[in-house]
Amino acid sequence: MSRPTDMLFGRRTWNDFITAWSTRTDGNPFTAHMNAATKYVASRTLENADAWQNSILLSGEATKTVADLKTEDGNDLTVIGSVSLVRDLHAAGLVDAYQLLIHPLTLGTGARLFEGPAPLTEFELTSSVTTTTGVIITDYTRK
């Protein structure tokens, strides 16, 4: 959140985030960041992205539209959630870095980031920090 980024969502996560963030007016800096950021939503089914300010619809195949978007000048793209989208982007070689947050809890269920085959891709740990609540924030960059 300390540097300007644009957000990239799959349709389902974008819809979930609208409910959680679009109408909040609290003093949370994450709320201000989420609402001010340009939000790209990759979807083959949405007709428009008017439901949340600063949202732009990327219709068609996500790997093609995101590859095209990455060739343009602008902010880095950040994806939160959107596991299916991340899997597709990773398989297409479009992920340059991962920031993984490791929380000190177990859920017992949930979607794995990589299920099934994924291309071998090497990443280098470029930073890590442990928060006061025990969350480990790691940054990995493609080698």
Side-chain angles (χ1 to χ4, degrees), residues 51-125:
W52 193 5
Q53 67 187 9
N54 304 321
S55 293
I56 299 168
L57 177 61
L58 300 176
S59 54
E61 289 302 315
T63 54
K64 169 78 171 98
T65 58
V66 172
D68 291 345
L69 187 60
K70 285 184 65 164
T71 66
E72 298 175 9
D73 288 334
N75 293 331
D76 289 341
L77 294 171
T78 301
V79 180
I80 297 177
S82 303
V83 172
S84 296
L85 176 61
V86 170
R87 288 179 188 148
D88 291 345
L89 298 177
H90 180 87
L94 295 171
V95 175
D96 300 320
Y98 283 103
Q99 183 175 72
L100 303 176
L101 282 66
I102 303 163
H103 292 261
L105 59 91
T106 58
L107 296 175
T109 63
R112 294 174 181 259
L113 181 55
F114 300 108
E115 283 205 66
L120 174 63
T121 309
E122 293 187 37
F123 288 86
E124 176 181 5
L125 179 65

Side-chain angles (χ1 to χ4, degrees), residues 98-102 125-129 136-140:
Y98 283 103
Q99 183 175 72
L100 303 176
L101 282 66
I102 303 163
L125 179 65
T126 54
S127 69
S128 66
V129 63
I136 302 169
I137 303 171
T138 61
D139 291 300
Y140 291 91

